[in-house]
Structure formats: C-alpha cells, structure tokens
Amino acid sequence: MVFAFSGRTRRIYVRESAAHGRYEVRFRPRINPDAGAYLNLAEPGASRALRAGKTGVERIAMAISEPGDVRRSNWPVTQGLPFPRGMLADVSEIRVLNPAGREIPAQVRATSFWEDDSIRWALLDFNVDVQPEQKSAYVVECGQGVKRSEVEQPIRVKEEDDLIHVDTGPLQFTVSKTHFRLFENLVADGKRALSDSPTMQVTEDSGKRFTTSGERPYVVAVEEAGPLRAVI
C-alpha cells in the first residue's frame, strides 16, 4: 500500500519508502440518492497502514511511590502518557507490567491523536501495591508487538430508564436518575449495607438545614464505563 487515508484530518499520506517522484490520485465517487456524491475512500486507518511491516516493543518505566506511612494494596492509579507520532495505532498495543514483570489488568483509553491517526495521549487505569515510604517499579509496554489481555473480572454497568446498576464483584449498588440520593441500595460482600436510601444534608451555622430529599437531579449519566473504572 502506497497511500494511507486519515479520517480525522481528511488527509492522504504516502509511505516514506514511496515518497519520491510524482503521483496522480483519482477518486471514483459513490452516489447516494439522499446525500449526493461522496468520495470512495477506505476506512480511516492511516497509522496502521503507514506502519505496515514494522514490529517492535517499547518499555516505559514508571516509579509509583508512597511517601507516607500507608500500605497501598491493590490501589487504583490513573496515569496519562504521551506517545510519539506513528508509534501506536490502537490502545490494545499498550499494557502494564508489575515489578515482577507480569502483566496486570489495565484499562486504556486514547484521549488525543496525531494527524496520521496514531495515538498521541492515552489514559491508563490500573491497580498497584506499594509499601509505606517505598517505591514500586512498574513498566508500560507498547508497540506493534504488544497485545494487552482482557480484564477477567471487569466492572459491569447497566442502565435502565430510571436507574444505573454497577457491579464491581464484591460491591453492587444502584443510582437513581430521578431522585437526588447517593444510592438506592448498596450491597458489600453479599450483605446489604444500607437500611434506607440516603439523602444529602447541609446545615448552616445558624442551624438552617438544606436537604436533597424530594429533589430531582438535573441529570445523572454514565460518563465512562470501563473494566476497571466507571464514572457516573
């Protein structure tokens, strides 16, 4: 393949090995009776096409430290990482290794792209173990020779018309879309943790109270529903 098309920038790229001489590009449009003609271009995937035939793995060291007297066990970490242009075509080419060199569950989302469709920034979520006042050495492996494993026990988010259900495994809870309450119910390790749906309350210095009881939220929505991190 000599040319590659970027669906994000609407640009056509030529492979470096073929970047000489003169080319003439012609398009045969497709006809859509409802929308008119449009160019018959391939699906956007410039980065993958431009890297065809390339292999390799890059390793990025990350030192996770705990400065205080607290032991972090299976502690969630969110980290953004930049990548050079043309290096990564898909977030599945990024994984995290623990200090023993074993892959750990990770959630990876691309947040920015280069003009050739390759990943510019990615947001990583994973859990770490760090002893008090110590550092742990984690590694991010990335490249065309990397394939991240699926999370075996992912967070599950289910939406209904009026409710959002979240199941992390040991914890299950429900959030209402129509009532201004923190949780409709909460179950931890198989045991119901709430006797009633809690409301929020603020008391001024004068003693006047403000409560969310009977109030309707402006909007309750799932912003992110990943295997390790969910945001409502």
Side-chain angles (χ1 to χ4, degrees), residues 51-200:
R51 296 184 322 151
K54 296 182 180 180
T55 60
V57 176
E58 298 289 336
R59 294 170 64 88
I60 303 171
M62 289 192 302
I64 310 296
S65 61
E66 170 48 60
D69 189 24
V70 180
R71 181 178 181 272
R72 306 291 181 180
S73 179
N74 205 31
W75 196 262
V77 170
T78 299
Q79 176 67 53
L81 287 178
F83 297 94
R85 179 170 48 196
M87 180 178 178
L88 296 173
D90 194 271
V91 293
S92 64
E93 298 175 348
I94 305 172
R95 68 176 183 173
V96 180
L97 308 181
N98 65 13
R102 292 190 293 270
E103 181 181 1
I104 61 174
Q107 174 181 324
V108 185
R109 177 167 59 92
T111 57
S112 179
F113 295 87
W114 291 98
E115 63 272 15
D116 66 351
D117 292 335
S118 61
I119 296 171
R120 187 172 187 172
W121 278 89
L123 190 66
L124 286 68
D125 287 279
F126 54 97
N127 294 351
V128 302
D129 296 321
V130 186
Q131 297 299 320
E133 301 179 356
Q134 299 292 324
K135 291 183 179 180
S136 291
Y138 286 76
V139 172
V140 174
E141 275 193 344
C142 52
Q144 202 164 0
V146 172
K147 179 66 175 178
R148 187 177 69 258
S149 301
E150 297 289 336
V151 177
E152 294 182 357
Q153 296 179 324
I155 296 174
R156 302 187 185 279
V157 179
K158 179 183 177 182
E159 283 197 76
E160 297 180 358
D161 291 340
D162 298 330
L163 298 171
I164 300 173
H165 304 277
V166 180
D167 185 351
T168 71
L171 180 71
Q172 299 86 39
F173 62 88
T174 302
V175 177
S176 173
K177 295 182 179 180
T178 57
H179 296 92
F180 210 135
R181 295 191 285 258
L182 187 58
F183 299 114
E184 288 299 300
N185 59 64
L186 178 66
V187 176
D189 294 326
K191 298 180 180 179
R192 187 177 177 87
L194 299 174
S195 58
D196 196 7
S197 299
T199 59
M200 290 175 278

